[in-house]
Amino acid sequence: MTNKQFDENRIVYREVVKAGEPWMHEVKAGQRFRIVDLEGNEAVDTLFYNAKDHSERYSATDTIREQGNIYLTTGSVLRSNLNNPMLTIVDDTCGRHDTIGGACSAESNTVRYAIEKRHMHSCRDSFLMALGNCECNHDKAMTKEDLSSNINFFMNVPVSPDGHLDFDDGISAPGRYVEMEAHMDTLILVSNCPQLNNPCNGYNPTPVEMVIWE
């Protein structure tokens, strides 16, 4: 699929996030935010917070309950733990995104793969690095207690009839993207997944592009 173009003059922010790196930025209400999978099959673990009150944050439970579907795509409203709409997916050339597989961590790498995998870099590490460097305009510093349910954009996590989760080969491709419109000022925290132990990013972490425009 081709990357639908937008007016370059309306872009207010654009950055390529390297493979395995974290990213954090605020998107204002009414702005659009696009994640572009530059090389294909990269998993992008993402958390959303109310920029004015970080105790309000994305909730997979509220989002899934209200839409009646465990997968996210065009039309999905991303809801907070107060059941407020935070963002809506307005365009999606991948077709399906996961919000129940969670983020990889030293603990999950150890349990799922091997004890010697515990020191490999993980999304939880990236989240904590970003929070530690956060210069957010807020009275209270963010900590590991602020990590909650995340979305895995471009990640393929099919669920079997008996409830079993699999981390399968990705269904994305170079240039595919997901685009959202913010309903509130939203702080976005991303880990461009460094996982090397399952095919969620083709065993080969790659860069992604973040674009924000009016």
Side-chain angles (χ1 to χ4, degrees), residues 128-140:
L128 292 174
M129 287 172 56
L131 292 183
N133 294 324
C134 178
E135 297 180 356
C136 308
N137 184 21
H138 202 267
D139 293 337
K140 182 182 177 183

Side-chain angles (χ1 to χ4, degrees), residues 126-198:
S126 289
F127 286 150
L128 292 174
M129 287 172 56
L131 292 183
N133 294 324
C134 178
E135 297 180 356
C136 308
N137 184 21
H138 202 267
D139 293 337
K140 182 182 177 183
M142 299 180 75
T143 69
K144 62 182 180 181
E145 295 178 354
D146 291 295
L147 298 182
S148 58
S149 54
N150 66 284
I151 296 174
N152 296 307
F153 287 113
F154 310 115
M155 189 165 159
N156 184 23
V157 185
V159 180
S160 66
D162 64 0
H164 179 75
L165 301 183
D166 289 309
F167 297 92
D168 282 359
D169 292 336
I171 56 176
S172 185
R176 293 192 179 182
Y177 63 85
V178 59
E179 183 178 313
M180 292 150 271
E181 183 169 334
H183 300 296
M184 63 172 70
D185 292 353
T186 306
L187 182 65
I188 303 176
L189 172 57
V190 161
S191 168
N192 193 17
C193 185
Q195 183 59 257
L196 294 170
N197 298 296
N198 70 51

Side-chain angles (χ1 to χ4, degrees), residues 13-24:
Y13 179 93
R14 192 170 202 168
E15 182 178 350
V16 172
V17 181
K18 295 179 181 178
E21 292 294 309
W23 177 85
M24 200 171 194

Side-chain angles (χ1 to χ4, degrees), residues 9-202:
N9 295 324
R10 297 170 62 190
I11 294 175
V12 297
Y13 179 93
R14 192 170 202 168
E15 182 178 350
V16 172
V17 181
K18 295 179 181 178
E21 292 294 309
W23 177 85
M24 200 171 194
H25 201 82
E26 184 175 331
V27 174
K28 299 291 185 181
Q31 289 182 332
R32 289 201 174 190
F33 166 58
R34 180 185 289 191
I35 307 174
V36 184
D37 189 2
L38 294 173
E39 298 183 29
N41 289 345
E42 176 59 26
V44 183
D45 292 43
T46 309
L47 294 161
F48 299 97
Y49 302 88
N50 181 335
K52 298 177 181 177
D53 179 5
H54 298 156
S55 66
E56 182 176 15
R57 69 280 306 268
Y58 171 75
S59 167
T61 303
D62 290 273
T63 299
I64 292 170
R65 184 191 65 243
E66 293 297 322
Q67 75 167 11
N69 192 329
I70 61 173
Y71 300 113
L72 307 176
T73 189
T74 304
S76 292
V77 178
L78 311 184
R79 294 185 172 274
S80 75
N81 55 331
L82 301 181
N83 203 29
N84 293 320
M86 301 187 77
L87 307 98
T88 295
I89 298 178
V90 294
D91 198 3
D92 175 20
T93 62
C94 179
R96 189 177 78 185
H97 307 270
D98 165 69
T99 190
I100 58 176
C104 59
S105 65
E107 294 78 10
S108 64
N109 283 342
T110 301
V111 171
R112 289 173 179 161
Y113 308 114
I115 186 68
E116 59 267 24
K117 305 291 187 181
R118 64 178 300 187
H119 299 297
M120 295 182 71
H121 187 52
S122 68
C123 285
R124 182 176 172 82
D125 293 336
S126 289
F127 286 150
L128 292 174
M129 287 172 56
L131 292 183
N133 294 324
C134 178
E135 297 180 356
C136 308
N137 184 21
H138 202 267
D139 293 337
K140 182 182 177 183
M142 299 180 75
T143 69
K144 62 182 180 181
E145 295 178 354
D146 291 295
L147 298 182
S148 58
S149 54
N150 66 284
I151 296 174
N152 296 307
F153 287 113
F154 310 115
M155 189 165 159
N156 184 23
V157 185
V159 180
S160 66
D162 64 0
H164 179 75
L165 301 183
D166 289 309
F167 297 92
D168 282 359
D169 292 336
I171 56 176
S172 185
R176 293 192 179 182
Y177 63 85
V178 59
E179 183 178 313
M180 292 150 271
E181 183 169 334
H183 300 296
M184 63 172 70
D185 292 353
T186 306
L187 182 65
I188 303 176
L189 172 57
V190 161
S191 168
N192 193 17
C193 185
Q195 183 59 257
L196 294 170
N197 298 296
N198 70 51
C200 71
N201 51 22

